[in-house]
Amino acid sequence: MSFTIAIDGPAAAGKGTISKAVAAHFMMAHLDTGLLYRAVGAQVIAGSDPLKVAQSLQAEDLQRPGLRTAEVAQAASQVAVMADVRAELLEFQRRFARRDGGAVLDGRDIGTVILPDAEVKLFVTADATIRAQRRYKELLEGGFTTSFEQVLSDVLARDTRDRGRATAPMVVAADAVVIDTSDMSMETAIAAAISAVQKGISS
Ligand code: DC
């Protein structure tokens, strides 16, 4: 039986960590849908046509190294504005979600466009400055050289683009449970997400 959990929210709010933990807890498969846009963005940086890349994208492309850089994140956000690119990536996500045993998908438009009938929808968010602080720490720990101001400006630019685009903008689904992680430890945020999903399963 398929059971889908949609987890949306802006960059660096903790939705990746929460999604992985929720999937592990309920023994479901997990798809980080940002990787689809990052895989397209990375190939566009290398000179390819975004639509052609989206049309021929394979699951293996999501495993390629280098998809987590700040440059690829911006390119992903730019290709994500293109309606034809989004349309090409839609079926891959729905097919993934339909599997037996259930699936957790995280992204920006999962609860609103990709899986409007998801059994549970969460929207994980946090104050932009706090998100930038977290991302800055992650980048430094990952060996990248950058400044906090640069990371904050990247986070704000992506927020504006992801919220403002005409097709599938990032909005809170009417039936989503909002988890604001600004003042939460990651453990508390994960516990809140698991409890919201548990309620959804029981109702
Ligand atoms: O979740 P992420 O930071 O890896 O996503 C990278 C970009 O991809 C994000 O800025 C916007 C786009 N994206 C999207 O438009 N829709 C999704 N479901 C997931 C990501």
Side-chain angles (χ1 to χ4, degrees):
M1 193 193 77
S2 69
F3 185 96
T4 51
I5 301 174
I7 304 187
D8 290 304
K15 76 184 179 315
T17 308
I18 290 174
S19 300
K20 277 195 208 98
V22 166
H25 183 89
F26 293 100
M27 289 188 292
M28 292 177 176
H30 169 230
L31 178 65
D32 168 359
T33 66
L35 282 178
L36 296 168
Y37 298 89
R38 285 173 183 263
V40 176
Q43 293 195 46
V44 169
I45 293 172
S48 304
D49 174 71
L51 184 58
K52 287 206 178 105
V53 177
Q55 282 164 340
S56 56
L57 204 69
Q58 304 292 319
E60 306 83 76
D61 294 325
L62 308 187
Q63 314 291 337
R64 290 197 184 188
L67 297 185
R68 295 280 171 204
T69 67
E71 188 193 8
V72 170
Q74 290 299 334
S77 175
Q78 282 159 10
V79 299
V81 171
M82 301 169 187
D84 50 1
V85 166
R86 301 196 74 84
E88 286 300 331
L89 301 179
L90 194 136
E91 197 42 43
F92 181 96
Q93 298 171 75
R94 288 197 177 149
R95 217 178 313 122
F96 186 97
R98 275 198 291 268
R99 66 186 51 214
D100 279 346
V104 179
L105 278 76
D106 77 86
R108 302 289 187 289
D109 62 338
I110 308 302
T112 49
V113 174
I114 305 294
L115 305 172
D117 297 327
E119 278 79 5
V120 179
K121 297 179 188 179
L122 306 181
F123 191 90
V124 179
T125 188
D127 176 80
T129 308
I130 290 172
R131 288 188 282 123
Q133 276 162 355
R134 290 179 187 159
R135 181 52 51 89
Y136 178 57
K137 188 162 169 274
E138 264 170 33
L139 288 169
L140 291 190
E141 285 168 0
F144 295 96
T145 315
T146 184
S147 67
F148 171 72
E149 289 70 27
Q150 182 61 53
V151 175
L152 178 61
S153 134
D154 284 355
V155 161
L156 293 175
R158 275 214 284 156
D159 280 1
T160 304
R161 208 182 293 116
D162 297 344
R163 286 196 179 110
R165 65 182 175 226
T167 308
M170 177 178 68
V171 285
V172 184
D175 48 351
V177 175
V178 177
I179 300 177
D180 187 329
T181 67
S182 301
D183 300 317
M184 284 182 187
S185 67
M186 210 27 83
E187 291 70 32
T188 309
I190 289 169
I194 289 175
S195 145
V197 173
Q198 193 62 61
K199 263 190 211 140
I201 291 175
S202 321
S203 66

